[in-house]
Each structure stands twice: as structure tokens, then as C-alpha cells.
Amino acid sequence: EINASATATDVTCYAGNDGKITVSVSGGTAPYSYALNEYMSESTTSNILNQVSAGHHVVYIRDARNCTARAEVTINSPERLLAESEIVKTSCKEASDGEIHVTAIGGHPPYYVTTDAISEQPIADNPAITGLRAGTYHLIVTDASGCSYSLKNIRIPENLNECIHVPNVFTPNDDGINDTWEITHIDMYPDAKIFVYNRWGQKMYEGNGTSEYWNGEYRGKKVPAGTYFYVVELGEGHNTYSGPLSILY
């Protein structure tokens, strides 16, 4: 009489076929043959059956005298790994503050996300991929077992609102409120050229996209209250801004 039992190694990923069945046999007459069908087709003399999919399986065993036995075993599968995304649009044209938020279920946590914009990043620690420009992104979510799910063609639409906002008034009276002329998002254009002139065309200030904000001084002294004229040149391919600038005390 042949006595047989089997143990299973579960598949790694949903719908995978890397499961394994290990059969233990006693009795009968060696050598033994093993197969997953009673007709013993594609049988093997190894007691380890590889590349088996998830599900309930019956292993058929035959010894050298054609005596037979069977052992039943179940190979389990993890739940299917799924992921979804939500986007946060950029705040303005050419800004790099778009975001993709990713959530995942199934598989084996923890989860990680990769894209051409970042290296591998844990979803649990930081579910948002930040600092993104408008464009199309492809993400791969991977679980602890190396199973993956692709999120393709995630589009952050272009925001057509201009990033630059040039104030037309400031109050450099050292009260801590609106003391400097702060051009919103000028740091996005480090090569920008910024000029302020008085009513007679005399240049009161010159700076660029990385300069400190103007504090209303010319040669170390506060300029008089009044109306001045500014020109902000962002560079080739970008708009030029100009207009009146009021200084109040």
C-alpha cells in the first residue's frame, strides 16, 4: 500500500503559476511517478511539482509495480493587486506643483510606487507623488512580493493661468506687512530681468528671478512715495509684464 500526503507553496501573485506541491510517500515500491492527472500524462519522478497555478489539486502517484495513490492539496492565491490614482492639478502654467495620489489594495502590503519622475517610494509613508509638471505619467505599483499593477496615462492637465503676479503697490514702512515688492513665482524664471523706473525714467531697481525682493531702497535710502513704472522680462518665449507701481508709506 502506498501512503501519500502533499504540502503546498502558494503562488506569489494573483493568477500566477509559481505554486509548488511537495509530495511525501511511504510504502509501495520505488521509484515513484507523480502527475496532476489520473492518466499520468506528463508525469515526473520528482516529488516536487513546480509551476502550479492556484486551486485545488489532486496528485496521482504510481510506483514501480503500478500501484497507485492520490493526495489532495490546495494552493492559495493572494487577492488581486489593484491601484487607483487621483491628481492635483498644477497651480498655474509651467508650475511644478502637480500631484498624483495613489491607493492600493490586495496583494501583500506594503506597497511601493515608481514612475519616471521618482525612484521607488512607499505608498504608506507618502501616498502623494509631488513636484510634477503638467503631462502624462505612467506608474507601477508593486507589493512586498514583487507583484505589480500598472497605472497608465495619468494626465495632469496644463493650467493655462499665468504663474506670474506682479503687485502694483507695496508699503516699505518696516511694519512687517507688505514691506517688499514680491512678484509671485518669479523664482520659476531665474533669468528674468526686473526693472523699476521713476517718472523721469531713472532706474531705481534692477534684479532677476533669484534676487531678493525689492525693499523700496535706492542706494541705501528709501525712495519717495509715489508712482513708479516696472518692467518684468521673463525671457524668450515668455510674456513681458509692465505697469505702474505705487509706493506708499
Side-chain angles (χ1 to χ4, degrees):
E1 180 184 0
I2 303 174
N3 297 307
S5 62
T7 58
T9 301
D10 295 335
V11 297
T12 304
C13 304
Y14 177 84
N17 65 346
D18 62 343
K20 182 172 67 175
I21 299 174
T22 303
V23 184
S24 298
V25 177
S26 63
T29 304
Y32 307 100
S33 297
Y34 308 87
L36 290 175
N37 61 83
E38 60 182 320
Y39 303 105
M40 299 300 292
S41 60
E42 299 183 6
S43 64
T44 176
T45 56
S46 172
N47 69 318
I48 300 175
L49 305 178
N50 295 305
Q51 297 183 326
V52 185
S53 59
H56 185 76
H57 299 277
V58 178
V59 182
Y60 295 87
I61 304 99
R62 177 177 295 171
D63 71 359
R65 295 186 176 183
N66 286 327
C67 298
T68 61
R70 52 185 284 172
E72 298 186 23
V73 68
T74 298
I75 294 178
N76 297 308
S77 168
E79 293 185 11
R80 185 176 183 178
L81 175 62
L82 296 172
E84 60 182 14
S85 64
E86 293 184 4
I87 67 162
V88 175
K89 295 192 295 184
T90 56
S91 60
C92 56
K93 186 177 181 180
E94 298 183 340
S96 297
D97 56 0
E99 299 181 1
I100 301 176
H101 295 252
V102 180
T103 56
I105 59 173
H108 295 105
Y111 309 108
Y112 300 86
V113 60
T114 57
T115 181
D116 52 1
I118 62 165
S119 57
E120 187 173 85
Q121 173 176 298
I123 291 179
D125 294 346
N126 185 1
I129 303 170
T130 59
L132 302 177
R133 296 176 65 91
T136 301
Y137 296 88
H138 306 288
L139 277 61
I140 298 177
V141 177
T142 307
D143 70 3
S145 298
C147 308
S148 62
Y149 183 89
S150 296
L151 291 166
K152 297 182 178 180
N153 299 317
I154 302 173
R155 183 174 177 269
I156 298 180
E158 184 176 9
N159 188 333
L160 298 180
N161 294 325
E162 292 288 345
C163 293
I164 292 294
H165 171 68
V166 184
N168 59 9
V169 62
F170 74 109
T171 57
N173 55 9
D174 299 325
D175 65 352
I177 301 174
N178 202 30
D179 282 333
T180 55
W181 186 47
E182 300 184 10
I183 303 174
T184 306
H185 292 309
I186 192 62
D187 57 312
M188 292 175 54
Y189 307 91
D191 297 327
K193 296 179 181 179
I194 306 166
F195 307 96
V196 178
Y197 303 93
N198 64 15
R199 66 173 67 185
W200 296 283
Q202 182 183 6
K203 186 166 58 180
M204 298 285 99
Y205 171 77
E206 180 178 350
N208 57 46
T210 61
S211 300
E212 292 185 5
Y213 297 126
W214 187 38
N215 61 2
E217 292 185 358
Y218 174 68
R219 293 183 176 179
K221 295 182 179 181
K222 296 290 187 183
V223 301
T227 300
Y228 295 79
F229 186 81
Y230 70 81
V231 178
V232 179
E233 300 173 351
L234 299 183
E236 184 177 353
H238 300 289
N239 293 336
T240 294
Y241 297 81
S242 62
L245 173 63
S246 296
I247 294 181
L248 306 175
Y249 292 101

